[in-house]
């Protein structure tokens, strides 16, 4: 009381609850000058207006001498300092679907993940700054020590989760209208470069600057035209434009297949250089059914499988690729965390391979037909290979390649975000799917029921290999075919395999069927 009288400022009184029909009392007097409450009120007026005083100040009781001190903190005000009201130039949001905080970085122009330990450190610094500014006439030991410990700050961060929670589509705002280049936001409609702002809500940006009018003759003339036919160049351009968006609106998986050393790797290295290494995730189909593999990819905009083996789409986890590119909800798991966030998957994905792939169809050929795009490299390998071609293109023409990709974005936008294929391009996909179930196609086209005939599994395999050679398909291994064809014949012709079918050469009993023959 003596300290307040010396200051010449009346003490704050608790305000009674409002009573209907009774005018509200006069507003409480301003916080005591030089106190933590006044410090927060001056620094964050809108937060104090919304949530009340930032701290509870207590004066010494009775005859006890000493300075006033802070008894408690408002978690709402302190948590609010992280958000848009408290930090308009660098707000923090909490993505509930991912259980992660993101803070806007003015230097980067995007939101970056903010670990809770780092946010706690920034809150601790804020309290320390308040304590140092108010220490002359106020006991700030609680601010300096008690309220800055981890236990108290965990409570503030828990409150921040609720105050700054955003929906699962928060970072999908304006994806089709704005492309985040390294030096600003490119407005797609008129190619105007806009300055970065937290209002764009982006957490990924490209690795190259946007420069109007920049061209890429080396990329187009030396790489693309020597590697691909014009129709394939156009298809790749439209797809690469979609890759700029960061969301697979066409719901396609792209396969670059064909000539070894024909330019596939160089093309992808240029693409990765434009998209940015931080935005590209390695695609490992054999691990996609692992609990933690998807958690490694959740914040990427492009998934890439390099020189994949011929069984890449024929392994158990390959079916997950349909979910990753098709807009399906997927639950993520992270090592060392109990969080199980759910995201909607629309990843852009591309793989390169030198050999023909086969797909694990599992009775879902129609879905794979809608999902796959094959860009075939038919040209012969160039005689004079430029070893550092991708590095030269990125060093000299990166902005030109970006403009070329933006032209592709214009094309696919005009097509309603559909990646349309020519008749020949669709045939590549259809042939791949037929080859993937080659045993079924063989059984339908080359076998028929005949009550007087019999057929051994070994003879059937010989005919199957000849059938595949005729079509240019890769035949499956004998053991795999033997297991598969037995189920196929049972399903199509109602015959089960038996072990007493005489071999036509030796007469010895073999595995096979009675009542069926090769046409």
């Amino acid at each position: 009381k003596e300290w307040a009288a010396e200051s010449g400022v009346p003490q704050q009184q608790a305000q009674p609850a409002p009573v209907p029909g009774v005018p509200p009392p006069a507003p409480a007097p301003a916080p005591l000058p030089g106190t933590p409450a006044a410090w927060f009120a001056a620094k964050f007026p809108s937060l104090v207006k919304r949530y009340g005083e930032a701290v509870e100040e207590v004066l010494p009781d009775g005859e006890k001498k000493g300075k006033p001190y802070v008894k408690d903190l408002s978690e709402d005000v302190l948590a609010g300092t992280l958000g848009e009201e408290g930090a308009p130039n660098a707000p923090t949001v909490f993505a509930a679907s991912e259980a992660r905080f993101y803070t806007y970085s003015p230097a980067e122009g995007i939101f970056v993940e903010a670990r809770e330990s780092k946010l706690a450190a920034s809150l601790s610094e804020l309290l320390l700054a308040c304590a140092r500014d108010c220490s002359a006439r106020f006991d700030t030991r609680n601010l300096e020590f008690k309220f800055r410990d981890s236990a108290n700050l965990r409570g503030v961060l828990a409150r921040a989760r609720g105050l700054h929670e955003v929906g699962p589509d928060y970072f999908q705002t304006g994806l089709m209208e704005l492309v985040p280049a390294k030096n600003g936001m490119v407005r797609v409609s008129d190619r105007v470069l806009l300055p970065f702002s937290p209002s764009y809500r982006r957490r990924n940006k490209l690795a190259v600057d946007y420069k109007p009018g920049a061209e890429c003759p080396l990329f187009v003339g030396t790489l693309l035209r020597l590697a691909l036919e014009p129709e394939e160049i156009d298809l790749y351009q439209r797809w690469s434009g979609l890759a700029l968006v960061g969301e697979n609106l066409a719901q396609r998986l792209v396969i670059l297949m064909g000539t070894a050393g024909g330019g596939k790797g160089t093309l992808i290295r240029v693409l990765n250089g434009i998209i940015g290494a931080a935005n590209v995730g390695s695609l490992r189909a054999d691990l996609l059914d692992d609990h933690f593999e998807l958690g490694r990819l959740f914040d990427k905009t492009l998934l890439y499988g390099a020189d994949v083996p011929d069984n890449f789409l024929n392994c158990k986890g390959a079916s997950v690729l349909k979910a990753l590119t098709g807009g399906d909800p997927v639950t993520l798991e992270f090592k060392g965390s109990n969080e199980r966030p759910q995201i909607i998957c629309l990843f852009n994905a591309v793989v390169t391979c030198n050999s023909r792939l086969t797909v694990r169809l599992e009775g879902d050929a129609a879905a794979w037909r809608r999902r796959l795009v094959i860009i075939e490299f038919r040209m012969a390998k160039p005689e004079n290979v430029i070893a550092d071609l991708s590095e030269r293109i990125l060093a000299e023409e990166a902005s030109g390649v970006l403009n070329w990709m933006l032209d592709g974005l214009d094309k696919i936008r005009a097509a309603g975000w559909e990646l349309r294929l020519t008749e020949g391009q669709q045939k590549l996909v259809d042939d791949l799917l037929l080859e993937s179930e080659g045993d079924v196609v063989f059984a339908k086209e080359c076998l028929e029921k005949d009550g007087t005939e019999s057929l051994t599994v070994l003879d059937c395999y010989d005919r199957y290999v000849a059938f595949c050679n005729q079509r240019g398909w890769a035949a499956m291994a004998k053991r795999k075919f033997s297991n598969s064809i037995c189920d196929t014949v049972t399903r199509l012709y109602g015959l089960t395999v038996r072990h007493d079918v005489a071999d036509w050469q030796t007469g010895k009993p073999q595995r096979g069927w009675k009542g069926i023959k090769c046409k």
Side-chain angles (χ1 to χ4, degrees), residues 429-448:
V429 176
D430 294 340
D431 287 347
L432 175 64
L433 298 180
L434 287 174
E435 182 176 353
S436 299
E437 54 177 5
D439 59 323
V440 177
V441 178
F442 165 77
K444 288 180 177 179
E445 295 187 9
C446 300
L447 301 182
E448 64 180 354

Side-chain angles (χ1 to χ4, degrees), residues 232-402:
E232 274 59 52
I233 293 176
D234 178 70
L235 176 58
Y236 180 78
Q237 184 182 29
R238 286 180 283 131
W239 174 80
S240 66
L242 186 64
L244 294 178
V245 173
E247 192 168 275
N248 191 353
L249 300 174
Q251 300 184 10
R252 295 282 198 164
L253 168 65
V254 176
I255 301 173
L256 306 185
M257 182 173 67
T259 307
K264 300 185 297 296
T266 302
L267 191 60
I268 290 297
R269 285 192 293 273
V270 172
L271 174 67
N272 290 349
I274 302 297
I275 300 298
N279 302 320
V280 180
S282 178
L283 195 54
R284 304 181 293 185
D286 57 328
L287 296 179
L288 287 177
D289 58 343
D290 181 84
H291 292 296
F292 304 112
E293 181 69 8
L294 296 183
R296 188 180 61 84
L297 304 173
F298 84 99
D299 59 346
K300 308 301 181 184
T301 62
L302 177 66
L303 307 183
Y304 167 47
D307 292 330
V308 299
D310 56 5
N311 66 341
F312 177 78
L313 297 178
N314 214 341
C315 59
K316 185 179 179 182
S319 60
V320 181
L321 282 171
K322 288 186 295 183
L324 289 180
T325 57
D328 296 337
V330 172
T331 300
L332 306 180
E333 294 185 43
F334 302 96
K335 290 184 178 180
S337 173
N338 292 324
E339 300 292 346
R340 298 292 186 271
Q342 188 179 81
I343 63 171
I344 302 298
C345 293
L346 279 171
F347 292 101
N348 290 298
V350 60
V351 301
T352 60
C353 60
N354 295 326
S355 55
R356 293 180 63 85
L357 299 181
T358 56
V359 183
R360 189 185 183 98
L361 296 177
E362 297 179 325
D364 202 6
W368 281 109
R369 190 176 190 270
R370 293 192 303 270
R371 197 76 70 233
L372 293 180
V373 171
I374 298 176
I375 299 177
E376 189 171 27
F377 286 66
R378 304 185 186 94
M379 304 288 200
K381 180 180 177 180
E383 293 183 6
N384 299 317
V385 177
I386 304 176
D388 61 344
L389 181 57
S390 58
E391 288 78 7
R392 283 185 55 189
I393 291 173
L394 290 173
E396 302 170 14
E397 300 182 352
S399 296
V401 176
L402 174 56

Side-chain angles (χ1 to χ4, degrees), residues 86-99:
N89 295 323
T92 295
V93 298
F94 179 70
S97 61
E98 302 169 13

Side-chain angles (χ1 to χ4, degrees), residues 176-245:
M176 289 80 80
E177 287 77 31
L178 296 161
V179 170
K182 185 179 180 180
N183 59 337
M185 303 294 294
V186 182
R187 191 164 58 200
V188 175
S189 60
D190 54 10
R191 304 280 180 95
V192 171
L193 186 67
L194 305 173
F196 286 120
S197 167
S199 62
Y200 295 129
R201 301 179 180 181
R202 295 305 181 86
R203 59 180 173 185
N204 304 90
K205 68 175 183 178
L206 304 178
V208 299
D209 291 338
Y210 170 68
K211 297 178 181 178
E215 298 181 346
C216 51
L218 186 64
F219 173 73
V220 174
T222 304
L223 177 56
L224 289 179
R225 289 178 181 166
L226 296 182
L228 294 171
E229 300 285 350
E231 287 184 344
E232 274 59 52
I233 293 176
D234 178 70
L235 176 58
Y236 180 78
Q237 184 182 29
R238 286 180 283 131
W239 174 80
S240 66
L242 186 64
L244 294 178
V245 173

